[in-house]
């Protein structure tokens, strides 16, 4: 088990003269997908706020190629010595010769016993926490957790007197996902200094689910995914030409990993009604079907097989690399989120960053972001008729759609800008550190005070 390893191109902002930068460690172990993208943008913005930022993530970090203002430490990456011995061992092994026409059978790997995996994780987390203590990290900010593993890490950081904040992107798992009971977040909430959520409704739900001190829970909006557009917004015509999408046809976009809670079946049903009103409309479904839910995977795979034969449906399977995500949002006339349950969505902020109106359902924090009738429409979940009506209203009125998109882009650039969100996050870090100093002062004053008479 190797130590943390860094990599990539780093440009570190210099602090103002005579002022030590706040040392912030962001912990995001997945290294892939929406929360990974969120963490990258937060880290960049915190660095612009003159923080010294380190990201702890996996060695398969998908954004390692991007320029950055922060450092990266990789989890579970073998040390140089271990990799050298492995290479020597492979070189010394004679090649296996097989008769012509035969192929070597791949030997299946033995599954690692759960207790070994848990022990390895705890040892690594102990080493990580000690290194953070030696490096004098001011705060550790968890962005995602692998349930059942992080409570130990959080308690360990607490023993080392390192404050921990946790951004709860979701409060609990969705239908069909292997996820913890709500008590998992409860175990972390007892130890962390602050819990950040992205909407007031999510805060209310969290306080209803867990016995958490309300003073610990803060609302910080989800930031705009402007890093999908490193050279500025892309015109609809250019995006469609580069993707091979049909030009001049009203296009509806559903984007992201297909899971049960995203309600794609309601959009597919609504699209039948939409075609009657807008015959040249196109529905683009971009993303893989989630394999971690066998029942959902079977059902949505059948649904995708059925709709892919329809002439007005564009089915784009696969994981979209970061460099192409902005093209899909830009190619659409509007983005639809027919979700049945969600705390917040990066897809929504990606649409705003592209300057596209949206149609969303009234679930979680989505209606707090979407100004109904101004940046899009909010409809009840599981209601194909209402969904179709809102979508048709946008497609039949291009001028209104253009105005909505402009309002969405304005919000992305102001209210949901990362510099604004990072400034608010730094305020929370400062509040946590002030609380810590007050408690330390109180302990000192109590220990140094006069003895009580008994």
């Amino acid at each position: 088990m190797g130590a943390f390893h860094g990599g990539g191109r780093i440009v570190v902002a210099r602090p103002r003269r005579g002022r030590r930068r706040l040392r912030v460690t962001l912990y995001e172990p997945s290294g892939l997908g929406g929360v990974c993208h969120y963490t990258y943008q937060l880290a960049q913005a915190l660095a612009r706020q003159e923080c010294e930022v380190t990201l702890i993530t996996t060695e398969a970090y998908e954004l390692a190629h991007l320029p950055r203002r922060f450092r990266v430490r990789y989890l579970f990456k073998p040390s140089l010595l271990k990799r050298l011995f492995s290479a020597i061992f492979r070189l010394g092994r004679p090649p296996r010769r097989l008769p012509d026409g035969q192929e070597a059978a791949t030997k299946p790997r033995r599954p690692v016993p759960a207790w070994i995996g848990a022990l390895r994780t705890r040892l690594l987390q102990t080493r990580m926490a000690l290194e953070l203590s030696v490096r004098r990290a001011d705060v550790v900010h968890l962005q995602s957790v692998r349930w059942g593993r992080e409570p130990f890490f959080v308690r360990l950081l607490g023993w080392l007197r390192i404050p921990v904040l946790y951004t709860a992107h979701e409060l609990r798992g969705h239908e069909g996902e292997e996820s913890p009971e709500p008590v998992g977040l409860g175990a972390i909430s007892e130890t962390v200094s602050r819990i950040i959520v992205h909407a007031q409704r999510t805060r209310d739900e969290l306080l209803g689910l867990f016995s958490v001190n309300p003073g610990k829970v803060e609302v910080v909006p989800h930031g705009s995914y402007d890093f999908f557009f490193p050279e500025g917004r892309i015109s609809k015509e250019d995006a469609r030409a580069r993707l091979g999408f049909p030009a001049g046809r009203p296009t509806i976009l559903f984007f992201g990993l297909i899971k049960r809670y995203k309600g794609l079946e309601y959009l597919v049903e609504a699209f039948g009604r939409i075609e009657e009103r807008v015959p040249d409309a196109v529905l683009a479904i971009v993303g893989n079907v989630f394999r971690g839910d066998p029942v959902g995977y079977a059902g949505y795979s059948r649904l995708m097989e059925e709709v892919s034969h329809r002439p007005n449906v564009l089915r784009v399977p696969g994981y979209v690399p970061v460099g192409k995500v902005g093209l899909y949002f830009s190619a659409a006339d509007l983005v639809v989120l027919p979700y049945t349950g969600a705390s917040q969505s990066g897809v929504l902020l990606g649409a705003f960053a592209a300057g596209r109106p949206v149609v969303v359902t009234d679930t979680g924090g989505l209606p707090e972001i979407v100004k109904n009738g101004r940046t899009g429409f909010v409809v009840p979940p599981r209601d194909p008729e209402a969904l179709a009506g809102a979508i048709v209203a946008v497609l039949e009125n291009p001028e209104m759609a253009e105005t909505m998109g402009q309002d969405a882009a304005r919000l992305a650039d102001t209210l949901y800008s990362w510099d604004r969100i990072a400034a608010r996050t730094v305020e929370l870090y400062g509040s946590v550190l002030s609380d810590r100093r007050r408690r330390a002062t109180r302990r000192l004053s109590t220990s140094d005070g006069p003895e009580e008479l008994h």
Side-chain angles (χ1 to χ4, degrees):
M1 193 162 35
F4 303 144
H5 294 260
R9 294 168 289 165
I10 306 172
V11 180
V12 180
R14 294 183 179 179
R16 293 174 186 171
R17 184 172 297 178
R19 178 180 172 189
R20 185 178 78 82
R21 284 181 292 170
L22 192 68
R23 296 192 180 105
V24 178
T25 298
L26 300 178
Y27 178 86
E28 200 292 298
S30 72
L32 181 74
V35 178
C36 165
H37 302 165
Y38 176 99
T39 306
Y40 172 89
Q41 292 173 104
L42 177 61
Q44 289 285 81
L46 288 173
R48 290 194 295 270
Q49 295 286 328
E50 298 187 353
C51 295
E52 183 180 308
V53 184
T54 300
L55 168 65
I56 297 175
T57 187
T58 176
E59 68 273 14
Y61 183 46
E62 71 164 322
L63 305 181
H65 65 287
L66 296 181
R68 57 180 180 263
R69 295 170 174 262
F70 57 92
R71 294 181 174 86
V72 174
R73 296 291 181 265
Y74 294 129
L75 291 168
F76 301 115
K77 189 168 184 177
S79 66
L80 180 62
L81 188 62
K82 184 174 180 179
R83 283 180 284 165
L84 178 62
F85 277 121
S86 297
I88 293 172
F89 180 75
R90 285 195 301 271
L91 286 173
R93 180 183 296 172
R96 184 181 176 188
R97 297 186 179 277
L98 296 172
D100 292 342
Q102 292 188 17
E103 295 181 359
T106 56
K107 186 177 180 181
R109 292 184 179 181
R110 293 182 181 179
V112 178
W115 70 270
I116 292 180
L119 177 61
R120 183 188 182 210
T121 298
R122 290 204 170 193
L123 288 172
L124 182 64
Q125 288 179 339
T126 301
R127 184 174 188 170
M128 183 196 313
L130 291 173
E131 181 173 332
L132 290 172
S133 180
V134 170
R135 290 174 179 271
R136 297 174 61 195
D138 291 308
V139 294
V140 173
H141 190 165
L142 305 183
Q143 291 298 322
S144 62
V145 296
R146 294 160 298 174
W147 295 97
R149 299 182 181 182
E150 269 60 42
F152 169 79
F153 182 46
V154 173
R155 286 195 298 270
L156 189 57
L157 292 172
W159 294 333
L160 294 170
R161 299 186 182 277
I162 301 175
V164 179
L165 296 87
Y166 172 54
T167 295
H169 295 279
E170 292 288 348
L171 299 185
R172 45 186 169 181
H174 300 289
E175 183 182 10
E177 296 182 29
E178 291 185 9
S179 57
E181 295 299 318
V183 72
L185 179 57
I188 289 180
S189 68
E190 291 296 318
T191 314
V192 298
S193 300
R194 295 288 189 279
I195 300 173
I196 296 172
V197 294
H198 297 313
Q200 182 61 43
R201 186 187 285 189
T202 309
R203 182 180 188 274
D204 296 341
E205 183 182 356
L206 187 151
L207 294 176
L209 284 172
F210 309 109
S211 298
V212 180
N213 176 0
K216 276 189 174 185
V217 186
E218 301 284 349
V219 178
V220 179
H222 194 302
S224 161
Y225 277 134
D226 53 6
F227 89 132
F228 291 145
F229 308 91
E231 298 178 1
R233 293 187 174 98
I234 307 166
S235 72
K236 191 182 304 178
E237 295 73 22
D238 184 27
R240 291 184 181 182
R242 290 164 67 179
L243 292 173
F245 277 22
R249 297 181 60 182
T251 301
I252 305 158
L253 176 66
F254 175 95
F255 187 91
L257 192 61
I258 300 170
K259 297 184 177 184
R260 290 198 220 182
Y261 79 91
K262 295 188 178 180
L264 178 56
E265 63 271 31
Y266 300 105
L267 176 57
V268 170
E269 184 178 343
F271 189 61
R273 296 180 170 96
I274 294 166
E275 288 177 298
E276 296 174 0
R277 299 274 300 277
V278 188
D280 62 339
V282 173
L283 172 60
I285 303 174
V286 181
N288 277 328
V289 178
F290 177 56
R291 290 180 174 270
D293 171 15
V295 175
Y297 179 76
Y300 283 115
S301 295
R302 285 194 299 270
L303 180 63
M304 292 301 95
E305 177 64 24
E306 293 169 6
V307 301
S308 62
H309 297 296
R310 291 168 59 172
N312 288 346
V313 174
L314 278 172
R315 173 73 182 115
V316 185
Y319 182 79
V320 179
V322 170
K324 292 189 68 175
V325 172
L327 291 175
Y328 286 99
F329 285 109
S330 302
D333 286 281
L334 79 160
V335 181
V336 181
L337 289 74
Y339 296 177
T340 60
S343 296
Q344 197 47 268
S345 172
V347 172
L348 171 55
L349 276 303
F352 275 24
R356 296 295 180 264
V358 296
V359 173
V360 305
T361 51
D362 187 4
T363 183
L366 303 184
E368 292 182 33
I369 301 292
V370 180
K371 307 302 179 186
N372 195 28
R374 287 185 52 197
T375 55
F377 289 109
V378 181
V379 300
R382 299 184 175 89
D383 190 338
E385 185 174 350
L387 197 61
I391 293 170
V392 168
V394 176
L395 296 184
E396 289 186 332
N397 193 334
E399 290 183 2
M400 180 182 72
E402 181 68 21
T403 301
M404 284 181 165
Q406 290 171 357
D407 287 343
R410 194 174 300 113
L411 287 175
D413 295 340
T414 54
L415 186 60
Y416 303 117
S417 72
W418 281 102
D419 285 335
R420 180 170 181 155
I421 287 163
R424 173 63 181 134
T425 304
V426 170
E427 286 180 6
L428 291 181
Y429 295 159
S431 173
V432 167
L433 294 173
S434 294
D435 290 348
R436 182 187 178 195
R437 284 192 292 269
R438 280 195 294 270
R439 286 194 298 270
T441 302
R442 196 179 302 120
R443 283 196 300 269
L444 285 172
S445 62
T446 303
S447 61
D448 294 342
E451 295 183 3
E452 293 183 5
L453 298 175
H454 296 282

